[in-house]
Amino acid sequence: MELGVLALAHGVGGRQDLPIPFSAAMTGAVLALLMSFAALGVLWTEPRLAGALAYTRPVAVRVQGLVSAPAWRWSWRLAGLLATAYFCVGLFFGPDRADNPTAGVFYVLFWVGLIPLSLLFGPVWRAVNPLRTVHLLACAALRRDPRRGVRPLPEGLGYWPAAAGLFAFTWLELVAPGRATLPVIGAWLALYTVAMLAGAVVFGSGWFDKGDTFEAYSGLMGRLAPVGRNPDGTLTRRNPLHGMAGLEPAPGLVVLVIVLLGSTMYDSVSNAPFWVRFVQDSAVPAPVLGTAGLVAVIGAVLAAYVAATALAGRWGGAAPGSTAGELAHSIVPIAVGYLVAHYFTLLLLEGQRTIALLSDPLVTGADWLGTAGWTVGAAGTSPAGIAMLQVTVIVVGHVMGTVLAHDRALTLFPRRTAVLGQVPLLALMVLYTVTGLMLLFAA
């Protein structure tokens, strides 16, 4: 991403910075998965993760009343509109140069910043999504029920629109020529806005839940938040694994999750020395090679997942065609772990720079937010600490995925074949772990 001198900040923390040899870190990661699998097979013999209905504890009544009040919901909707308006000032009226914060806001504060916010507070983008709010206000003005559209939302649509939108965004972020320039960002956002509002008009507000890429993205990660809502709307504290276990199979979910993981892996590939040299030496235009590379990496990640889940279903005795969708939720913590590892330093360093620039989106010298004097600092981190964090979050994500897959397998497979059916899944987890670590520390 062409966001300035710190654009490649996720490269901080290479294999040379690890306090232990990279081979030892890789071996330890694989052993952690193998030991987790063995322990689960012996100690976890009954399904324990029952989704949103299991082991949830309602929050305090006073807090419950506050977050359920219309005033609370509308305060966040208005905040989303105001933040969007401020962003548009820089997008449409600011200069198209490096000290305009628009690209940093879009690619760093928004895209990457949604990760920690969603992991802490749940699907936050649903609460502030300006497109949802615009649709709601338009329906109120027309005295129409926002939940009703021209036609019902097709059951087979599922997450397919969100998956297509996620691929379009990652192509913009990683491949598109001039992707940090205002005309390119503005054109993409204009097309996306038209598509989302058209979907809401045709299918009603339910379209945003699975059709809006960023709501689906925030919603997936929000499943791992320590707070959530029961089906009756009660706000509860919960085990994050229960929240993720409540993610039900739906059309397009597998592709959405795989695009999220595969595109992040491609970001590592695109910054690897071998790929940079290949693109520079090739006569084929860089956008063509980038598009082919993005599709190839996502395709490889998807092929490995489909093959492993098909074999798991055959060995485990599951109904044909059901395993891939049933186990898609186990890939989410893996994708989240890799996202955190890959983009942590980008958010930490480039995020600070963007906030400083955000004080004046027109770059007129006015300090509207009082942040113009901010200086970028490492916040007490070190390359060694970042490298260990990267390894840790990847391993933790894979262990959580192993637990989720094991628990679902006990429901999906007959008891006598449940462990056997998980062997291909374990091999998949090991493959993703090794590949992810090698790509992340390729430098």
Side-chain angles (χ1 to χ4, degrees):
M1 293 184 291
E2 303 162 355
L3 297 175
V5 295
L6 296 177
L8 299 180
H10 60 269
V12 175
R15 67 173 66 190
Q16 71 277 3
D17 298 310
L18 283 165
I20 59 175
F22 178 70
S23 58
M26 181 80 76
T27 302
V30 173
L31 286 176
L33 288 179
L34 296 176
M35 293 174 64
S36 298
F37 177 77
L40 289 170
V42 174
L43 303 176
W44 196 309
T45 58
E46 297 289 340
R48 300 182 184 181
L49 302 178
L53 296 178
Y55 301 103
T56 54
R57 296 174 292 173
V59 301
V61 175
R62 185 172 300 178
V63 176
Q64 193 81 240
L66 173 65
V67 299
S68 299
W72 174 267
R73 294 195 297 270
W74 273 104
S75 66
W76 288 109
R77 289 170 182 158
L78 293 176
L81 288 178
L82 290 174
T84 301
Y86 194 73
F87 169 80
C88 288
V89 169
L91 177 62
F92 295 114
F93 303 107
D96 191 9
R97 59 178 194 248
D99 53 359
N100 188 312
T102 298
V105 171
F106 186 42
Y107 292 124
V108 180
L109 296 186
F110 171 58
W111 172 248
V112 182
L114 269 180
I115 299 172
L117 289 176
S118 300
L119 290 175
L120 290 173
F121 305 112
V124 293
W125 189 243
R126 191 180 195 280
V128 299
N129 186 351
L131 299 182
R132 184 184 281 272
T133 303
V134 167
H135 176 254
L136 185 61
L137 291 173
C139 289
L142 297 173
R143 297 182 179 181
R144 294 181 54 182
D145 183 352
R147 295 170 297 181
R148 298 185 60 183
V150 176
R151 61 183 63 180
L153 191 64
E155 292 184 4
L157 193 61
Y159 288 97
W160 283 111
L166 180 60
F167 179 83
F169 173 80
T170 55
W171 181 85
L172 170 73
E173 179 197 20
L174 303 174
V175 177
R179 51 193 175 272
T181 62
L182 301 187
V184 172
I185 294 175
W188 192 94
L189 286 174
L191 290 173
Y192 187 80
T193 298
V194 170
M196 291 301 102
L197 291 179
V201 169
V202 174
F203 300 118
S205 59
W207 156 266
F208 290 108
D209 295 332
K210 293 184 175 68
D212 187 309
T213 295
F214 303 113
E215 280 205 15
Y217 168 70
S218 178
L220 285 178
M221 293 182 293
R223 291 278 179 176
L224 292 169
V227 293
R229 290 188 181 274
N230 280 345
D232 62 0
T234 303
L235 186 68
T236 62
R237 292 169 289 171
R238 67 185 182 191
N239 179 336
L241 290 176
H242 289 301
M244 187 54 66
L247 180 62
E248 298 180 356
L253 177 60
V254 170
V255 174
L256 175 66
V257 174
I258 294 300
V259 170
L260 184 60
L261 177 59
S263 61
T264 311
M265 286 188 171
Y266 172 74
D267 198 359
S268 289
V269 171
S270 66
N271 288 300
F274 80 88
W275 181 261
V276 174
R277 288 193 299 268
F278 173 71
V279 172
Q280 291 175 343
D281 296 340
S282 175
V284 180
V288 176
L289 288 177
T291 302
L294 178 62
V295 172
V297 173
I298 292 174
V301 175
L302 178 62
Y305 177 79
V306 171
T309 52
L311 190 59
R314 188 176 302 117
W315 288 5
S322 65
T323 314
E326 288 285 349
L327 295 172
H329 70 302
S330 67
I331 303 299
V332 177
I334 297 173
V336 170
Y338 199 65
L339 282 166
V340 173
H342 190 74
Y343 292 120
F344 170 74
T345 49
L346 182 68
L347 179 62
L348 176 66
L349 301 177
E350 186 67 22
Q352 294 179 68
R353 176 179 177 272
T354 300
I355 291 173
L357 293 174
L358 188 61
S359 184
D360 178 20
L362 291 177
V363 197
T364 61
D367 188 6
W368 295 5
L369 301 180
T371 61
W374 280 29
T375 57
V376 176
T381 60
S382 66
I386 291 171
M388 284 305 299
L389 172 68
Q390 291 171 323
V391 173
T392 300
V393 294
I394 286 179
V395 173
V396 169
H398 281 81
V399 170
M400 292 179 69
T402 301
V403 173
L404 289 165
H406 173 79
D407 189 82
R408 184 62 58 85
L410 294 176
T411 303
L412 192 62
F413 304 148
R415 183 183 299 273
R416 59 184 176 81
T417 58
V419 174
L420 178 62
Q422 292 177 67
V423 172
L425 303 177
L426 175 64
L428 178 69
M429 300 294 182
V430 171
L431 175 63
Y432 282 168
T433 300
V434 172
T435 302
L437 287 174
M438 291 183 65
L439 289 176
L440 189 65
F441 293 97

